[in-house]
Amino acid sequence: MYIATVLTGITVVIVLVAYWLRGRKDRSKPRICVLVLGDIGRSPRMQYHALSCAKAGFRVDMVGFGGSNPIKELAESEKVVIKTLPEFPESLRGLPKLLFYALKAIIQFFQLFVTLLSCGSQCTHLLVQNPPAIPSLAAAWFVSLLCGSKFVIDWHNYGFTILALGVKNTEHPLVKVAKWYEFFFGGMSSINLCVTQAMQRDLWEKYEIRAHTLYDRPPLRFHEMDLSTQHQLFLKLSKEYEVFSAPESPSEFKNDVTSMTAFTIQLKDGRILFRQQRPALLVSSTSWTEDEDFSILLDSLEEYEKVISEDQASLPSIVCAITGKGPLKEYYQTIISKKNFKHVKICTPWLEPEDYPRLLGSADLGVCLHKSSSALDLPMKVVDMFGCGLPVCAIHFECLHELVKHEENGLIFRDSMELTQQLKKLFRGFPLSKPLLTSFRENLASFQRTRWDASWKKIVLPLLKEK
């Protein structure tokens, strides 16, 4: 009897609070809360959502962790307020692993609940990135229920599949609980977005969640860079990364060069030229996690080093820039430091947000090693590369064909040996002759015509305007 009375009292309080919160909302002024349970600066798609909402007239509260700088346009927008969450105390990492994660989920739930409630009472919509699902989906659903906000989920992947990678067992009890939790709260949403047609089908056929596919598309700042921009970027990077530095002035311009890099030279008359014997610039971007095996790229470059030693006349040297931060970065940096390459140079920079598209727009080829844990999402890095007109070699997985068209806008490989063969095929005769790279760039023109804002206005904005 006592327990029933307490539960009844709690229910009455929750109903009264919900009634009061909903009564405070001014629905004539659209406002959205965008939640990222991660580093905001490293969550490009959610930053693009926030910017598009602001351009469409929404006031935007963006909630997430600090760390990396957000893109400049977002940070300077008068319609966007960024609210950073406190980091979980590192001092608790000494606890047993299961206890640590349980305690982290509980504490973060209450942190999110308080933060979301402070802005949710005025928000018409609450947009959440998934994964991570725990505890963000539960917290966002509860706040949206109390405040009468529409609960919107943007499905980037499935959180339980990432957990399965970590515990190396798809049948682990924790994985089963995480899967149940993810789709229980996922089914409570008002609107669902996802990143591929394959994920849209999977959500409906297995979980009866109806989603709308919003493909990742690059904003306009991702485009091919002019030679002057490339030269300035290479000069800037050469101050910190030796691989971008010039070995020596070309003999034909020895007394006319005012500045030079490994790829470009600037003459006294102001002209900027490519070096005739420049290396090929290969770029890859990663979060240095277990779903990307960079030993494949390193093994391929090691084999390329052997090949070029025998065929130096027709193959160029390679400068490989691998950007990003993540838990396995130091592990791979140690491996790279032990390589004794002569014709291949590797660096692992962390770039300012404005320099990342400049690097992609200055490169000759991109490499993607992303393997989806669910086989249902697509690599954002390839979208960015395609936005810059940059052809890609990407490792195969089930739905990759929705983005990379083999031998049309790039090549798909399955192992390091196949990647080596593709590098030889693409770079033979470089830089004077590069017919395949040129053909791929031309085929990317149609992809570049559809940008994020246009796609977002067509698919997402009508959903947010629904009563």
Side-chain angles (χ1 to χ4, degrees):
M1 185 67 181
Y2 174 75
I3 295 175
T5 304
V6 170
L7 291 174
T8 302
I10 292 172
T11 303
V12 170
V13 170
I14 290 173
V15 169
L16 290 173
V17 169
Y19 182 79
W20 177 70
L21 288 171
R22 293 180 183 213
R24 294 176 67 220
K25 197 184 303 292
D26 184 355
R27 296 188 181 275
S28 65
K29 297 178 181 178
R31 186 167 186 153
I32 189 165
C33 179
V34 179
L35 171 62
V36 180
L37 196 61
D39 186 334
I40 292 174
R42 293 169 64 189
S43 306
R45 182 174 166 106
M46 300 310 285
Q47 292 184 81
Y48 301 158
H49 271 303
L51 268 176
S52 294
C53 287
K55 291 175 184 176
F58 285 79
R59 302 294 298 181
V60 181
D61 295 290
M62 190 158 195
V63 178
F65 292 109
S68 308
N69 293 327
I71 53 180
K72 189 176 180 181
E73 192 179 356
L74 183 71
E76 294 178 353
S77 175
E78 293 181 355
K79 290 190 173 182
V80 179
V81 176
I82 297 176
K83 300 182 177 182
T84 54
L85 296 165
E87 294 285 348
F88 192 72
E90 287 295 317
S91 57
L92 297 177
R93 283 201 173 272
L95 294 172
K97 189 173 287 188
L98 190 59
L99 178 59
F100 171 79
Y101 286 121
L103 188 61
K104 183 178 181 179
I106 293 168
I107 291 174
Q108 284 189 336
F109 175 86
F110 285 105
Q111 285 177 337
L112 285 174
F113 178 74
V114 172
T115 306
L116 294 177
L117 199 61
S118 68
C119 55
S121 60
Q122 296 301 319
C123 287
T124 52
H125 298 79
L126 210 166
L127 171 60
V128 187
Q129 171 185 303
N130 183 68
I134 301 172
S136 53
L137 291 187
W141 167 76
F142 191 34
V143 170
S144 65
L145 181 69
L146 288 175
C147 299
S149 307
K150 285 194 174 181
F151 179 29
V152 186
I153 301 176
D154 190 13
W155 297 81
H156 297 192
N157 199 351
Y158 294 161
F160 79 91
T161 64
I162 297 172
L163 178 60
L165 271 183
V167 299
K168 297 179 173 57
N169 181 2
T170 57
E171 297 300 315
H172 194 285
L174 282 178
V175 175
K176 291 181 177 180
V177 169
K179 182 178 180 180
W180 173 86
Y181 163 93
E182 188 167 6
F183 293 106
F184 174 79
F185 287 104
M188 301 289 188
S189 54
S190 309
I191 301 170
N192 290 278
L193 306 169
C194 64
V195 293
T196 63
Q197 294 287 349
M199 184 178 286
Q200 182 189 49
R201 287 192 299 272
D202 193 76
L203 282 168
W204 175 246
E205 291 172 2
K206 293 183 179 178
Y207 311 107
E208 295 187 352
I209 294 173
R210 193 178 298 279
H212 303 263
T213 301
L214 175 67
Y215 281 119
D216 283 317
R217 284 293 183 267
L220 288 171
R221 64 196 183 96
F222 286 89
H223 58 84
E224 193 168 352
M225 300 296 150
D226 59 58
L227 196 50
S228 174
T229 302
Q230 292 185 40
H231 183 66
Q232 293 305 316
L233 175 68
F234 296 149
L235 283 174
K236 179 180 178 179
L237 294 176
S238 67
K239 294 175 183 177
E240 191 170 351
Y241 305 102
E242 190 179 352
V243 298
F244 291 95
S245 299
E248 58 184 19
S249 296
S251 56
E252 66 268 33
F253 298 113
K254 202 160 188 73
N255 299 318
D256 296 324
V257 175
T258 58
S259 60
M260 57 185 178
T261 71
F263 307 93
T264 53
I265 58 171
Q266 183 169 24
L267 304 181
K268 289 179 180 177
D269 61 9
R271 285 183 299 155
I272 297 174
L273 305 172
F274 277 123
R275 299 174 73 101
Q276 289 185 354
Q277 300 298 320
R278 73 182 185 275
L281 179 55
L282 187 71
V283 296
S284 188
S285 176
T286 179
S287 51
W288 299 106
T289 52
E290 290 181 342
D291 62 351
E292 292 180 294
D293 183 1
F294 263 82
S295 65
I296 293 173
L297 177 58
L298 297 181
D299 290 346
S300 178
L301 292 175
E302 190 160 19
E303 185 61 29
Y304 184 90
E305 171 78 16
K306 294 175 185 175
V307 172
I308 194 176
S309 299
E310 302 166 0
D311 191 10
Q312 196 169 345
S314 61
L315 289 171
S317 297
I318 287 179
V319 170
C320 177
I322 307 170
T323 72
K325 287 182 179 178
L328 295 178
K329 184 171 183 175
E330 288 187 9
Y331 168 78
Y332 280 110
Q333 282 178 322
T334 302
I335 294 175
I336 291 167
S337 67
K338 294 177 181 177
K339 302 289 184 184
N340 188 26
F341 293 151
K342 181 180 178 183
H343 302 288
V344 176
K345 296 180 179 178
I346 304 173
C347 67
T348 55
W350 172 248
L351 301 173
E352 296 173 10
E354 289 72 30
D355 284 338
Y356 177 58
R358 291 173 189 152
L359 180 64
L360 297 186
S362 304
D364 299 300
L365 180 68
V367 171
C368 175
L369 292 161
H370 171 87
K371 276 189 172 181
S372 170
S373 60
S374 64
L376 295 171
D377 71 315
L378 293 171
M380 184 82 173
K381 67 202 74 178
V382 173
V383 174
D384 294 338
M385 291 171 183
F386 280 0
C388 293
L390 182 63
V392 168
C393 291
I395 195 163
H396 175 269
F397 63 88
E398 286 305 315
C399 69
L400 184 63
H401 65 276
E402 290 191 36
L403 180 60
V404 181
K405 315 294 183 185
H406 186 63
E407 296 191 335
E408 182 180 325
N409 56 22
L411 298 173
I412 297 173
F413 62 91
R414 285 174 168 78
D415 54 39
S416 62
M417 291 304 295
E418 193 171 4
L419 176 57
T420 304
Q421 293 303 315
Q422 291 177 0
L423 295 179
K424 288 162 58 182
K425 182 179 180 179
L426 293 169
F427 287 146
R428 192 170 301 281
F430 182 95
L432 297 178
S433 174
K434 41 183 179 178
L436 266 181
L437 290 174
T438 301
S439 173
F440 291 165
R441 283 184 183 274
E442 291 170 352
N443 293 338
L444 283 168
S446 60
F447 179 91
Q448 292 177 290
R449 283 194 287 270
T450 305
R451 294 291 174 160
W452 171 269
D453 279 336
S455 184
W456 189 91
K457 285 177 185 176
K458 180 181 178 181
I459 296 167
V460 182
L461 187 56
L463 297 172
L464 297 182
K465 285 186 172 180
E466 286 180 356
K467 298 298 183 183

Short mmCIF file of all heavy atoms in Angstrom, two decimals, residues 43 280 291 348:
data_model
loop_
_atom_site.label_atom_id
_atom_site.label_comp_id
_atom_site.label_asym_id
_atom_site.label_seq_id
_atom_site.Cartn_x
_atom_site.Cartn_y
_atom_site.Cartn_z
N SER A 43 31.83 16.27 -34.79
CA SER A 43 30.52 15.73 -35.20
C SER A 43 29.98 16.59 -36.34
O SER A 43 29.04 17.38 -36.15
CB SER A 43 29.55 15.74 -34.01
OG SER A 43 30.10 15.07 -32.90
N ALA A 280 52.97 12.44 -55.29
CA ALA A 280 51.50 12.38 -55.23
C ALA A 280 51.09 12.57 -53.77
O ALA A 280 51.72 12.04 -52.86
CB ALA A 280 51.00 11.04 -55.75
N ASP A 291 37.33 -0.08 -35.91
CA ASP A 291 36.63 -0.40 -37.16
C ASP A 291 37.39 0.08 -38.40
O ASP A 291 36.87 -0.02 -39.52
CB ASP A 291 35.19 0.15 -37.15
CG ASP A 291 35.12 1.67 -37.06
OD1 ASP A 291 36.18 2.29 -36.82
OD2 ASP A 291 34.02 2.23 -37.22
N THR A 348 50.84 12.45 -39.59
CA THR A 348 49.52 12.26 -38.97
C THR A 348 49.06 13.56 -38.32
O THR A 348 49.00 13.67 -37.10
CB THR A 348 49.57 11.13 -37.93
OG1 THR A 348 50.61 11.43 -36.97
CG2 THR A 348 49.87 9.79 -38.58
#
